[in-house]
Amino acid sequence: MLILYIILGLSLQFFEVSGFQALPSSLYGGDYYYQMGSVNHILSGGNPFESSSMIGGIPGYLPLYGILCAGFCKLFGLDAFNGMIYFSLVIFALSSLIWFNAFKKIFKNEWVSVIGVVLANGISIYPILKYTEFTKQIMIPLFILALYLTFTSKKPLNYAFLGMIYGLLAISHTVAFVGATLTIATFIIYELYKKYNSDKIKGIKSYLIENWKNLSTFGIFGASISMLYWYKPIFVYKLSSFYDRTHMDTLDVGDQSIQLAFVKNSFFNYFLNFNSPIGTFTSLLVIYGTLSLVFKRNSDEYRKNFIKLFGLSSVISTFCYFITEPLLKMNFIPTYMSSFYITSAILLISLYSISLIYETLKNKINNRLNNDSNLYENRYMIFGVIFILLTTNTLYSFVEKPNNDQWLHLAYLEIPECYNSLENYLEKNTDENDVILSSKMLSSVVNSVSGRKVMVNHWAQQNDPYMDLSQRDIDAAIIFYGNDTPKKLELIKKYNVSYLYWDYYWINLEYGIDKNGNIANIRDPLLAYSNEYVKNKLKENNVSSIEMNTWVNPGVRSENVRKFDLIIISPKNYPRSDKTVDISSNFYLNILKSPENYRNSIKPWKEDLNPYLEEVWNYSIDGQEIAVLYKIQVE
């Protein structure tokens, strides 16, 4: 059944991804494309433990997925795009095997394990093209397996395995690593409590004496691997961040009403989800399993206690914001924590229910009918039907995905040829540490297709709280729109900027402008947190700005997400003529058709920068340049 499921899943996924022309994501600031930039960065020879997009930063997307995917690309001679979509097939097969073995170790039942694989690793969640989902489907089951081994067998080898997985989680996903830390702490505290409860005087001391080798082994492996990422944040940056990353574009659990609403929604989602057949099925299993864990006794107390402890630690990890928010004014992103740990705990409880049902049927057959073979076959048929129904459900979801996923249709559209041409030029003529300046979303595109460094970027993907992204945005605004040429040259040298990239989407990716020339909506312009320093700096350099209380991440605008006082670089900085022109949806076509109506439309920065720019590459349509790369010549 497991082999059949893997073959079926691989066949369907191969049929889907082999038709992809692009990633199922927005090219301009999309998560998958930033991940592609990370893979390109490694393929170009970049250090995976440094930022893939900015010199001197830490990885925004933690590098384990990128390292493995880049290795897969090298092994099979693939570029980053093809490597990502076909590496997803490897993830599916490997995840199915890991989940199966973890469940088999815990429940000692192959039928329960193969049903667990379908519940944990549904075909419909693929393709997986990013480090978060990779962590959930590969690293979390490995962590559960390693944790269970140490819980049931106190061997140094098991603790070495747990330490390795724990360390790898640190370079796989920060939230998953924090959750693993709290989970391991919960298990150790439980074992200390057991020893203390048995002998209040010598209990804890005896536990440490008995387990010091195991704990040391775990610590050596875990600390040495985790420091690949955590060395800089702890010892260089002292965990001192430049901006509030945890509230920037996630659920604002600093708000008490949102805190309580998240608890309520989580309860209904996991325990009382009767909105679909699969939701009803799993909710009934969770209710029965929870009651059984609390009230029912059985022979395997290790398994029972493990699931109870893992469930408790998942709750602690997810809802610890009730403590961290008032004390530290931060949280560990409970939405992500829940998807990693509470979802896994719910899965274990569901399979615990199924294992109890299996054992009940087995005992009744043994006791009543002396191992009648037909009844055994009926028992297998029951679980076979469950497997088939669950597989059918995930297949149906996979087939229906194009109707439910707003981004999937983009995968069948080719990436604009200008970006393929740009990638080829940058690969052949630039170094992986050359820095390119552009607008934020165009910078994201440049980094995605080439892995080259940029000066500014979409904040959400940059994901580096130890880098002053506000200052970078303001400095970029001064370079583009300021009136102090020596200052511009100074900033270009400061950030080691070698190139400037422009294409005809520049303005449209920062602002939507209506036919009257007014701002229709704000997309992703240069911005900074509001303070007097920023205001004075922009005023000194004659850069126009807008003050606004709004969201930092343009892709996450919800009343459950915190707003901030921001200073946004205004479109009034674009040098444009006073002629009355139509700049509605065809704004850029109008530029191409009637460039005389627009002053410096192809160079939307102040003219004093032009003498330092040398055009080294362009992409044209019908003789009109729509994308240009300039080499910046600064002595």
Side-chain angles (χ1 to χ4, degrees):
M1 286 294 187
L2 177 65
I3 294 171
L4 174 65
Y5 182 72
I6 292 174
I7 293 174
L8 180 62
L10 290 176
S11 300
L12 288 171
Q13 292 170 53
F14 178 81
F15 178 78
E16 179 183 57
V17 302
S18 61
F20 282 7
Q21 301 296 314
L23 297 176
S25 171
S26 169
L27 176 60
Y28 303 99
D31 288 349
Y32 292 159
Y33 279 101
Y34 188 86
Q35 184 69 78
M36 189 171 81
S38 301
V39 176
N40 271 319
H41 161 73
I42 298 171
L43 288 173
S44 299
N47 184 345
F49 299 103
E50 294 180 355
S51 172
S52 62
S53 51
M54 289 184 180
I55 290 178
I58 61 173
Y61 286 4
L62 267 63
L64 182 58
Y65 169 88
I67 292 171
L68 295 175
C69 187
F72 179 79
C73 293
K74 290 283 189 181
L75 183 63
F76 293 97
L78 300 173
D79 59 19
F81 164 70
N82 284 291
M84 287 174 67
I85 63 173
Y86 290 114
F87 186 55
S88 177
L89 303 180
V90 177
I91 294 173
F92 172 75
L94 188 58
S95 177
S96 297
L97 293 171
I98 296 171
W99 278 117
F100 179 81
N101 282 283
F103 294 145
K104 186 178 177 182
K105 186 60 113 175
I106 296 170
F107 297 102
K108 300 174 176 61
N109 185 307
E110 291 188 346
W111 274 108
V112 173
S113 301
V114 77
I115 289 171
V117 169
V118 184
L119 289 173
N121 195 43
I123 298 169
S124 58
I125 66 177
Y126 285 81
I128 283 178
L129 304 166
K130 182 169 170 272
Y131 76 111
T132 302
E133 291 77 16
F134 165 84
T135 300
K136 185 175 180 180
Q137 296 307 124
I138 297 293
M139 298 309 302
I140 294 299
L142 282 174
F143 174 67
I144 292 172
L145 175 60
L147 189 65
Y148 184 77
L149 290 174
T150 58
F151 186 69
T152 55
S153 178
K154 306 299 182 185
K155 296 179 180 178
L157 184 62
N158 291 338
Y159 279 85
F161 179 45
L162 179 63
M164 290 175 60
I165 299 304
Y166 177 70
L168 290 173
L169 277 169
I171 61 172
S172 182
H173 200 288
T174 303
V175 175
F177 175 74
V178 172
T181 303
L182 295 174
T183 299
I184 292 170
T186 301
F187 274 77
I188 291 176
I189 291 170
Y190 167 75
E191 293 181 343
L192 287 171
Y193 171 76
K194 277 178 46 180
K195 282 291 187 179
Y196 176 78
N197 205 37
S198 62
D199 187 344
K200 290 182 171 54
I201 298 176
K202 299 181 180 180
I204 295 178
K205 183 178 180 181
S206 65
Y207 173 82
L208 295 175
I209 292 174
E210 292 171 10
N211 290 281
W212 73 269
K213 288 185 180 179
N214 291 334
L215 295 175
S216 298
T217 300
F218 164 76
I220 290 170
F221 279 93
S224 59
I225 299 174
S226 63
M227 282 300 114
L228 292 171
Y229 171 80
W230 282 104
Y231 177 81
K232 274 190 174 182
I234 294 174
F235 298 106
V236 177
Y237 303 121
K238 314 295 184 184
L239 297 178
S240 178
S241 61
F242 278 100
Y243 61 96
D244 186 353
R245 181 64 188 90
T246 60
H247 296 108
M248 188 184 85
D249 54 4
T250 59
L251 200 66
D252 185 9
V253 290
D255 184 310
Q256 189 175 47
S257 63
I258 297 176
Q259 290 179 348
L260 298 174
F262 183 68
V263 175
K264 176 184 174 182
N265 293 337
S266 298
F267 178 79
F268 278 96
N269 184 49
Y270 293 119
F271 286 89
L272 299 174
N273 183 4
F274 302 122
N275 297 324
S276 65
I278 188 66
T280 301
F281 175 71
T282 54
S283 291
L284 292 175
L285 288 177
V286 171
I287 293 170
Y288 175 62
T290 302
L291 293 175
S292 299
L293 285 170
V294 175
F295 298 110
K296 188 176 178 127
R297 292 185 176 274
N298 59 46
S299 57
D300 195 344
E301 287 298 312
Y302 273 117
R303 178 176 65 191
K304 182 177 178 180
N305 288 337
F306 176 80
I307 296 173
K308 288 165 69 173
L309 278 172
F310 190 84
L312 174 63
S313 65
S314 300
V315 171
I316 292 171
S317 300
T318 301
F319 300 107
C320 63
Y321 58 74
F322 282 105
I323 297 173
T324 62
E325 280 290 348
L327 292 181
L328 304 173
K329 305 299 180 185
M330 56 85 69
N331 62 78
F332 299 122
I333 321 295
T335 49
Y336 278 99
M337 193 72 79
S338 175
S339 72
F340 288 133
Y341 291 102
I342 288 191
T343 299
S344 299
I346 292 298
L347 180 61
L348 291 175
I349 294 171
S350 299
L351 295 181
Y352 180 70
S353 292
I354 294 175
S355 70
L356 291 179
I357 295 170
Y358 186 96
E359 292 300 321
T360 300
L361 291 174
K362 177 181 176 181
N363 292 335
K364 285 185 177 180
I365 291 171
N366 288 338
N367 293 336
R368 293 175 57 188
L369 297 172
N370 193 27
N371 297 335
D372 186 291
S373 60
N374 291 328
L375 288 172
Y376 269 112
E377 291 175 3
N378 290 339
R379 172 162 53 98
Y380 295 147
M381 184 176 294
I382 290 172
F383 286 89
V385 168
I386 292 174
F387 170 79
I388 291 171
L389 289 175
L390 291 174
T391 301
T392 301
N393 178 74
T394 190
L395 289 176
Y396 175 78
S397 299
F398 182 84
V399 172
E400 284 294 304
K401 189 162 54 174
N403 298 325
N404 301 319
D405 188 335
Q406 63 172 324
W407 300 111
L408 189 59
H409 73 281
L410 296 177
Y412 298 97
L413 305 176
E414 291 186 2
I415 294 176
E417 181 56 33
C418 65
Y419 297 131
N420 291 324
S421 175
L422 175 65
E423 175 191 4
N424 291 332
Y425 178 85
L426 292 174
E427 182 180 356
K428 294 175 181 178
N429 297 280
T430 64
D431 180 78
E432 50 103 1
N433 282 322
D434 281 341
V435 179
I436 300 168
L437 174 62
S438 189
S439 69
K440 285 163 71 172
M441 282 199 176
L442 289 182
S443 293
S444 176
V445 174
V446 170
N447 174 252
S448 298
V449 301
S450 68
R452 297 302 185 257
K453 301 298 189 298
V454 291
M455 177 179 165
V456 295
N457 202 358
H458 189 56
W459 288 19
Q461 275 80 40
Q462 193 59 38
N463 200 27
D464 185 349
Y466 312 108
M467 181 170 282
D468 195 346
L469 299 181
S470 277
Q471 186 64 57
R472 282 177 169 260
D473 276 22
I474 294 306
D475 287 346
I478 292 171
I479 293 173
F480 289 140
Y481 312 120
N483 58 1
D484 186 342
T485 304
K487 181 64 177 178
K488 295 183 179 192
L489 302 181
E490 176 188 327
L491 291 172
I492 288 171
K493 290 179 181 179
K494 173 184 175 182
Y495 292 103
N496 297 310
V497 178
S498 301
Y499 295 90
L500 192 156
Y501 174 74
W502 168 91
D503 75 38
Y504 70 107
Y505 275 129
W506 182 299
I507 297 173
N508 195 43
L509 292 173
E510 294 192 319
Y511 290 95
I513 302 175
D514 64 24
K515 63 182 179 180
N516 297 315
N518 300 317
I519 298 173
N521 59 74
I522 298 174
R523 289 167 182 163
D524 197 17
L526 300 168
L527 55 83
Y529 290 102
S530 180
N531 58 58
E532 290 303 315
Y533 167 80
V534 171
K535 293 177 186 178
N536 292 334
K537 200 72 175 175
L538 293 176
K539 188 175 181 180
E540 289 172 8
N541 288 273
N542 198 31
V543 177
S544 298
S545 62
I546 306 168
E547 293 189 53
M548 187 177 296
N549 181 263
T550 189
W551 297 276
V552 175
N553 185 350
V556 183
R557 291 174 177 169
S558 165
E559 292 306 315
N560 290 333
V561 176
R562 186 174 296 186
K563 295 180 180 179
F564 294 88
D565 291 330
L566 302 176
I567 294 178
I568 300 173
I569 303 306
S570 169
K572 291 182 179 179
N573 293 292
Y574 304 143
R576 190 172 66 231
S577 74
D578 295 328
K579 294 184 179 180
T580 302
V581 293
D582 179 13
I583 57 170
S584 56
S585 59
N586 292 322
F587 179 39
Y588 294 101
L589 291 177
N590 291 331
I591 290 180
L592 299 183
K593 292 178 180 178
S594 307
E596 68 277 2
N597 290 332
Y598 300 87
R599 184 165 65 87
N600 292 334
S601 58
I602 296 181
K603 297 179 179 179
W605 45 80
K606 290 287 180 67
E607 291 86 344
D608 63 337
L609 200 58
N610 292 338
Y612 302 94
L613 305 180
E614 176 190 356
E615 183 176 319
V616 293
W617 168 92
N618 74 74
Y619 188 86
S620 301
I621 296 179
D622 296 331
Q624 176 65 55
E625 292 181 340
I626 65 167
V628 183
L629 182 70
Y630 300 96
K631 174 73 175 176
I632 301 180
Q633 304 285 357
V634 178
E635 295 181 0

